[in-house]
Amino acid sequence: MESFTNAIQSVPLNHYILLSTVIFSIGVMGVLLRRNAIVIFMSVELMLNSVNLLLTAFSVYRNDAAGQVFVFFIMALAAAEVAVGLAIIVMIYRNTNSIDINVLNRLKW
């Protein structure tokens, strides 16, 4: 475990911040630009994973387990979000035969 911590600390913290920023930006662009509900959920997962990466990196650099505990709760939240989100997508597909979010305005009636 000590060698793993040393291996993570050998990479500068700026690299983790840059990688997490790039992954989070890709997720934001996916949410804003895509119209497919599954791609939007995958983009939200990318954003959550970038936050997990950053929390884990800061946790290892500060030798504090609090960040890793937050990662555990975020992963539990992401699993619940996937389960509920996919159930909603399946129900929308059954009603509209499409997962395009522009078609969802028909659900108002």
Side-chain angles (χ1 to χ4, degrees):
M1 186 65 177
E2 188 67 33
S3 64
F4 180 70
T5 303
N6 290 336
I8 289 178
Q9 287 179 345
S10 67
V11 178
L13 188 59
N14 291 336
H15 293 276
Y16 288 109
I17 294 172
L18 181 66
L19 178 63
S20 181
T21 304
V22 168
I23 293 172
F24 192 84
S25 300
I26 291 170
V28 167
M29 296 304 290
V31 168
L32 294 177
L33 298 178
R34 295 299 194 157
R35 297 290 122 208
N36 189 335
I38 294 176
V39 174
I40 291 174
F41 276 114
M42 287 177 16
S43 298
V44 170
E45 291 295 322
L46 269 177
M47 291 190 295
L48 288 173
N49 283 331
S50 71
V51 171
N52 285 344
L53 173 67
L54 201 58
L55 282 172
T56 304
F58 279 125
S59 176
V60 168
Y61 271 87
R62 294 190 66 208
N63 291 326
D64 184 19
Q68 294 173 6
V69 171
F70 281 125
V71 167
F72 177 73
F73 287 119
I74 291 172
M75 290 176 78
L77 174 81
E81 178 245 341
V82 165
V84 172
L86 286 178
I88 291 171
I89 289 173
V90 167
M91 292 307 297
I92 289 171
Y93 183 77
R94 285 183 183 172
N95 290 331
T96 63
N97 290 332
S98 175
I99 55 174
D100 187 16
I101 62 170
N102 292 327
V103 179
L104 294 182
N105 62 359
R106 291 195 296 180
L107 295 178
K108 293 180 196 175
W109 303 101

